[in-house]
Amino acid sequence: MKILIPNTIDLPVTADVEAVVYDIDAEIPDEHRDAEVLVVWHNSSSWLQEAARTLPELRLVQALASGADAVLNAGFPEEVRICSGRSLHDGPVAEHALALILGAVRRLDRLRDAQLEHRWDDDFNEVQSAPESRGSYTLDAARVTIWGFGSIASTLAPLLTALGAEVQGIARSTGTRSGYPVHADADAATVLSETDVLVSILPATDATAGLFDSTVFDAMRAGSVFVNVGRGTTVDEGALIAALESGRLRAAAIDVTRTEPLPASDPLWEAPNLLITPHVAGNRPAGAARLIDANVARLAAGDDLVNQVRP
């Protein structure tokens, strides 16, 4: 079995296969278009569309991103199985989400601006230490809601708990996950009215497109914080900017945007109290080689695959 491995990551697979490293910015050589497995990481949408047309023997596309939306939209034939990199990014994304949450809650963006201006921000010191604002600058006793309560949320939630936060989730169905209460999407308005920090880890789907709009931001507590480490398409960016400008949101931090890279002229850059990082939360898939080895063995045996999202 021939496997195509991208040149964007070192993957020492141990399965008994012919592993060929390919350049994600070049066409696949004719002699390797008989590959049965394609691993993708940082491939462009146009490259994936071309691969869908030129790899006739393909049986599996293994994405290393936690969401496989780009692969699902590339046009691979129905018989080609598609798997995501779910769980490979649990630790890195949880770490980055925690950093963004703390950065937004503690307003490190404002303090960084003051540093660049060589200015000791006495005004911030006064506001942050005022008795009436204590709850705004700490996670201790804060109500944190994670929308999209999967494996990443299960890693993030205990970190927030350790800092004193009260953590709950929103997902498609209600229940308890990893020891935390999770509410159904239908109950979101009630949950948001009691939320101090809203964290999105939602994938890009038809159902989540533009989900975080003015209705959601208006439902949140005045002066709350929004953090997105999921997908940029889930956010109505005009509504996000408006919520920040009006003060409905005290601060926000996002690792993803609808258009990436974010154009220099985009109004998000000028939005007040917004911290932006360039989609780096899950940049190091941990355990990718093990996942590939497992799925290659399962594919050869005709078994169900790990993280299979299609068919």
Side-chain angles (χ1 to χ4, degrees):
M1 185 183 298
K2 181 180 289 185
I3 300 180
L4 299 181
I5 304 290
N7 64 343
T8 46
I9 187 171
D10 181 25
L11 287 175
V13 296
T14 60
D16 185 17
V17 296
E18 179 186 356
V20 176
V21 176
Y22 69 90
D23 184 344
I24 68 165
D25 294 318
E27 291 185 359
I28 297 174
D30 290 342
E31 63 269 26
H32 295 313
R33 295 188 177 183
D34 58 346
E36 295 180 64
V37 178
L38 172 66
V39 180
V40 299
W41 179 239
H42 290 171
N43 303 65
S44 68
S45 296
S46 59
W47 192 98
L48 290 171
Q49 292 166 7
E50 181 66 17
R53 291 191 294 266
T54 58
L55 297 176
E57 305 300 321
L58 205 59
R59 299 170 61 195
L60 165 64
V61 179
Q62 175 65 66
L64 299 185
S66 55
D69 42 289
V71 178
L72 289 168
N73 294 330
F76 287 97
E78 290 293 329
E79 64 271 16
V80 176
R81 291 197 256 183
I82 296 174
C83 294
S84 74
R86 182 180 183 273
S87 81
L88 300 182
H89 303 275
D90 291 358
V93 175
E95 286 181 3
H96 197 78
L98 180 62
L100 292 182
I101 293 167
L102 289 169
V105 169
R106 305 286 296 193
R107 293 305 314 275
L108 297 187
D109 58 311
R110 172 173 170 173
L111 298 177
R112 175 62 172 173
D113 290 345
Q115 178 185 344
L116 293 176
E117 297 169 4
H118 298 194
R119 176 172 53 84
W120 194 262
D121 197 338
D122 286 317
D123 291 340
F124 177 86
N125 198 337
E126 182 177 343
V127 171
Q128 189 257 2
S129 60
E132 62 272 16
S133 69
R134 181 191 177 281
S136 298
Y137 292 89
T138 180
L139 287 177
D140 187 23
R143 177 72 65 88
V144 179
T145 300
I146 304 175
W147 202 328
F149 209 97
S151 59
I152 295 172
S154 295
T155 301
L156 173 62
L159 304 177
L160 297 168
T161 299
L163 293 173
E166 181 182 341
V167 182
Q168 60 185 341
I170 299 177
R172 283 175 291 184
S173 58
T174 189
T176 300
R177 303 187 186 183
S178 301
Y180 292 90
V182 176
H183 307 273
D185 290 337
D187 300 322
T190 300
V191 176
L192 293 173
S193 68
E194 301 174 347
T195 293
D196 299 304
V197 179
L198 175 61
V199 182
S200 170
I201 316 182
L202 285 172
T205 66
D206 291 341
T208 63
L211 174 65
F212 297 100
D213 58 10
S214 58
T215 302
V216 168
F217 296 135
D218 287 345
M220 296 171 64
R221 280 181 178 172
S224 53
V225 168
F226 174 67
V227 173
N228 187 15
V229 291
R231 286 292 183 266
T233 56
T234 64
V235 178
D236 178 336
E237 292 175 346
L240 174 60
I241 293 171
L244 287 166
E245 289 178 341
S246 70
R248 185 71 194 180
L249 289 176
R250 186 170 68 90
I254 58 175
D255 184 55
V256 288
T257 55
R258 297 184 70 87
T259 302
E260 296 180 0
L262 188 64
S265 59
D266 195 285
L268 273 175
W269 292 114
E270 302 299 327
N273 308 327
L274 176 63
L275 175 63
I276 301 173
T277 58
H279 203 154
V280 293
N283 224 11
R284 296 183 182 275
R290 290 193 300 274
L291 175 62
I292 294 168
D293 285 340
N295 272 345
V296 166
R298 287 170 176 265
L299 184 67
D303 296 335
D304 292 338
L305 305 183
V306 180
N307 295 349
Q308 186 168 327
V309 296
R310 204 201 76 181

